[in-house]
Structure formats: structure tokens, C-alpha cells
């Protein structure tokens, strides 16, 4: 029922988008060229594993530096790529590129897990599922795929089948942006997953009041009871970092630790002992 409602919303959304097809198409025709011309790059935002005190994973985030338009945010070009169908080749490029970077870092003695954002539009796509699977199998380190709950709700049967297949090939599944929109406990237990990623907006409940804190605490406990690790995203202060550790978050990510970095800066960042990094960040 809920899935059908979401399909309807999607249909209306898509129709609206045809309101401005010219703008979308010209941007998108440049998008794939941009990957070839080197205008498109991946930045990596480190994630701290609390238990070990080490940066054991990074999230790949797309960056487009357009020669005329300047910086174009992924919040702008990813939705457009989803509407025009460019999202599939683009995501394949993201996976290929990040797996290559992971291999390079390993060769430099910096083994790291890589998390890749997968658009909802692709989670139910069998062709993409196969392609992604073969790339995951070839990776030289752990891969996490970040998906949103709504991605699963649109076509639960196909989505669950693909998530299972990706897990069988060794990828971890992370539920991204949890605590925004239609996060539902009912769906949570049916999505094959390994990790729950609390959205920055949700994490900000920390500072609301005692109830906001309790909400985060309960969600972390619930995730653990379901066998999921928890990542707190968008952590911007030392106070929040300390609070989230206390509440049991397994991973911390946010500007307080590091912004997304180009691969060269990431390599440097990972070369510095974590203790030093934490001290220099908070001083
Ligand atoms: P997301 O996956 O939820 O990524 C988190 C976003 O929050 C990123 O924005 C990141 O730079 C930002 N962020 C991280 N820590 C902090 C913090 O402490 N404070 C604040 N204010 N922001 C923080 P970004 O890179 O602009 O990406 C936005 C969204 O675009 C991502 O949200 C993701 O949904 C999407 N996206 C980015 N790259 C890709 C991609 O390659 N493929 C797909 N499908 N989506 C992507
Ligand atoms: Mg993400
Ligand atoms: Mg997120
Ligand atoms: Mg988010």
C-alpha cells in the first residue's frame, strides 16, 4: 500500500520534471563528458570507528567543477541525472573510480573501506545490480553501499533481491539519511542491511532537550538490537562527538573530524596518526 502511494508520488514528480526538459538535457549531456574531461571528481569524507579510534572507512562524494558554471552541488545534478537516466552510467563511473582509488591507497599502505551512495532509482534496476555486483567482487577492500529507505519502498521485492545479492558478493548495506522523511521501523527490519546512518538533521536532536537525546539513544539501541552498526553523520562539534560516543554510536562522521577531501589530501590525512588528528581538530 505504502509502496503504491510512493509510486504515485514518483509519477507526479517525474511528470513535473518534464516542465523544464531543455535545461536538464543540456546539463546532463555535459555530465558524462565531465567525467571524461576530469571536471568530475570524487571527494572522500573519513568515518571514525569509535571502538578502534581509527579512520577505517571513507564515503565517496561526487564533486563537479564546471568550467563556466563553477561548482555544481550533487544535490543539484544527482536528482537531474536520476530523471534523465544518466544516473546509471554515472554511478558505474563512481564505483569504478572509488574502487580504483581504494586500490591505490592500499598500495600506499593505507587500507580503507569505501562507502558509495546509490540512488534510489537504481536499487531496483536488475542491469545495474549485475554490473555493480561484478565491480564489488573485484574490489581490493571492503565496500559499503549507502541507500535510502525510500529506495526500497518504491519496489521492495526487486530492491531486497538486489540488496541480498550485493551482500552475498561482500558489500555492506547502509541505510542513509535515517531519521528524515518517512523513516519507518516496520521497513527497517525488512531491509537487508548492516548499518544505520543517522542523518545530520536527526543528530541535531542531541541539542534539543532530554527527549531529543532519548530519541537518539533509543534509535541506536534499536539498531543494535537489529544487528546494525550505527553511523552518526554531520557531527560538527566536540560536544556532539563525545555525546554520540557515550550513546553508543559505532562510527562518527562530520566536519568536526574532517570535511570531504580530494584523494591527494585524503592520502595525507590517513598518513597522520589518529590521536594527533583529533587533537589538532579540537585545538
Ligand atoms: P549524503 O550521502 O547524506 O552525504 C552527506 C552530505 O553531508 C554530504 O554533502 C557531506 O559533504 C555533508 N556533510 C558531511 N558532514 C557534514 C557536517 O558536519 N556538516 C554539514 N553541514 N554537512 C556535512 P554533499 O557532498 O553535498 O552530498 C549531498 C548528497 O548528494 C549526499 O547526501 C548524497 O545523497 C548525494 N550524493 C553525493 N555524491 C553522490 C554520488 O556519487 N551518487 C549519488 N547517488 N548520490 C550522491
Ligand atoms: Mg551518504
Ligand atoms: Mg547521509
Ligand atoms: Mg544526509
Amino acid at each position: 500500500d505504502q509502496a503504491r502511494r510512493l509510486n504515485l508520488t514518483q509519477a507526479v514528480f517525474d511528470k513535473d520534471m518534464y516542465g523544464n526538459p531543455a535545461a536538464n538535457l543540456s546539463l546532463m549531456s555535459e555530465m558524462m563528458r565531465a567525467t571524461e574531461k576530469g571536471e568530475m571528481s570524487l571527494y572522500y569524507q573519513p568515518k571514525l570507528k569509535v571502538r578502534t579510534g581509527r579512520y577505517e572507512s571513507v564515503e565517496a562524494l561526487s564533486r563537479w567543477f564546471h568550467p563556466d558554471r563553477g561548482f555544481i552541488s550533487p544535490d543539484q545534478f544527482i536528482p537531474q541525472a536520476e530523471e534523465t537516466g544518466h544516473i546509471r552510467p554515472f554511478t558505474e563511473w563512481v564505483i569504478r573510480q572509488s574502487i580504483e582509488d581504494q586500490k591505490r591507497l592500499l598500495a600506499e599502505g593505507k587500507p580503507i573501506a569505501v562507502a558509495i551512495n546509490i540512488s534510489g532509482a537504481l536499487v531496483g534496476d536488475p542491469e545495474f545490480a549485475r554490473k555493480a555486483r561484478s565491480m564489488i567482487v573485484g574490489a581490493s577492500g571492503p565496500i559499503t553501499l549507502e541507500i535510502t529507505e525510500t529506495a526500497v519502498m518504491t519496489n521492495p521485492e526487486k530492491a531486497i533481491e538486489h540488496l541480498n545479492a550485493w551482500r552475498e558478493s561482500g558489500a555492506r548495506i547502509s541505510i542513509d539519511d535515517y531519521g528524515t522523511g518517512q523513516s519507518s521501523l516496520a521497513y527497517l527490519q525488512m531491509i537487508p542491511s548492516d548499518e544505520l546512518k543517522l542523518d545530520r538533521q536527526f543528530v541535531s536532536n542531541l541539542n534539543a532537550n532530554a527527549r531529543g537525546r532519548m530519541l537518539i539513544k533509543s534509535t541506536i539501541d534499536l539498531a543494535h538490537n537489529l544487528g546494525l552498526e550505527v553511523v552518526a553523520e554531520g557531527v560538527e562539534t566536540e560536544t556532539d562527538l563525545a555525546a554520540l560516543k557515550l550513546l553508543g554510536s559505532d562510527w562518527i562522521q562530520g566536519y568536526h573530524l574532517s570535511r570531504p577531501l580530494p584523494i591527494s589530501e585524503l592520502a595525507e590525512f590517513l598518513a597522520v596518526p589518529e590521536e594527533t588528528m583529533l587533537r589538532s581538530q579540537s585545538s
Side-chain angles (χ1 to χ4, degrees):
D1 202 331
Q2 192 160 4
R4 206 173 325 122
R5 259 203 317 278
L6 273 157
N7 270 331
L8 271 177
T9 318
Q10 189 67 43
V12 172
F13 188 70
D14 283 345
K15 206 163 115 241
D16 273 347
M17 289 309 155
Y18 291 119
N20 193 5
N24 283 357
L25 283 178
S26 70
L27 186 66
M28 285 305 112
S29 62
E30 291 181 61
M31 184 171 169
M32 292 315 294
R33 269 205 312 271
T35 62
E36 287 150 24
K37 288 191 296 190
E39 293 170 20
M40 196 71 79
S41 65
L42 294 180
Y43 274 37
Y44 294 94
Q45 188 177 31
K47 287 195 243 180
L48 179 76
K49 181 142 200 181
V50 173
R51 191 164 47 79
T52 60
R54 290 171 188 277
Y55 292 96
E56 296 188 17
S57 179
V58 291
E59 176 179 9
L61 294 159
S62 303
R63 295 290 178 262
W64 188 356
F65 300 97
H66 193 284
D68 311 318
R69 303 186 204 211
F71 175 69
I72 306 175
S73 160
D75 280 326
Q76 191 185 342
F77 69 79
I78 294 287
Q80 291 194 23
E82 288 172 348
E83 288 143 30
T84 54
H86 287 78
I87 193 65
R88 204 216 286 181
F90 179 73
T91 306
E92 289 172 7
W93 175 82
V94 171
I95 301 177
R96 209 162 34 241
Q97 187 67 47
S98 51
I99 284 178
E100 231 170 75
D101 287 340
Q102 181 183 49
K103 193 171 170 185
R104 230 182 77 197
L105 286 167
L106 180 69
E108 293 175 27
K110 293 156 197 152
I112 195 94
V114 172
I116 300 161
N117 291 287
I118 305 293
S119 283
L122 287 176
V123 176
D125 178 340
E127 192 86 16
F128 172 77
R130 250 195 315 279
K131 195 79 176 272
R133 194 173 178 174
S134 74
M135 289 192 276
I136 293 162
V137 168
S140 53
I143 299 291
T144 295
L145 302 178
E146 298 192 4
I147 59 141
T148 58
E149 277 178 300
T150 33
V152 179
M153 289 188 235
T154 316
N155 184 357
E157 232 170 89
K158 270 276 162 271
I160 289 171
E161 181 189 322
H162 297 154
L163 295 181
N164 279 322
W166 288 333
R167 287 177 96 198
E168 275 166 30
S169 26
R172 293 170 77 253
I173 302 297
S174 174
I175 302 173
D176 203 355
D177 297 342
Y178 190 79
T180 60
Q182 30 238 319
S183 300
S184 132
L185 299 181
Y187 272 103
L188 201 56
Q189 53 87 30
M190 102 182 183
I191 302 174
S193 50
D194 304 278
E195 179 181 288
L196 191 69
K197 204 163 178 191
L198 308 180
D199 192 72
R200 182 164 65 90
Q201 206 60 41
F202 185 74
V203 168
S204 71
N205 280 310
L206 263 184
N207 302 306
N209 47 39
R211 293 181 67 147
R213 233 179 145 78
M214 199 43 71
L215 186 62
I216 294 177
K217 168 79 179 138
S218 307
T219 304
I220 292 175
D221 291 347
L222 172 81
H224 287 162
N225 289 334
L226 290 172
L228 305 173
E229 292 193 355
V230 175
V231 184
E233 122 183 325
V235 178
E236 293 183 347
T237 65
E238 181 63 40
T239 320
D240 284 358
L241 174 78
L244 287 158
K245 280 183 178 175
L246 267 175
L247 296 178
S249 184
D250 305 284
W251 298 82
I252 309 277
Q253 187 182 28
Y255 290 173
H256 178 62
L257 296 172
S258 174
R259 294 194 169 246
L261 304 169
I263 183 73
S264 55
E265 286 178 38
L266 174 69
E268 273 173 58
F269 184 90
L270 295 175
V272 180
E274 291 76 17
E275 282 303 308
T276 323
M277 274 190 280
L278 271 174
R279 262 205 309 279
S280 67
Q281 290 282 338
S282 46
S283 62

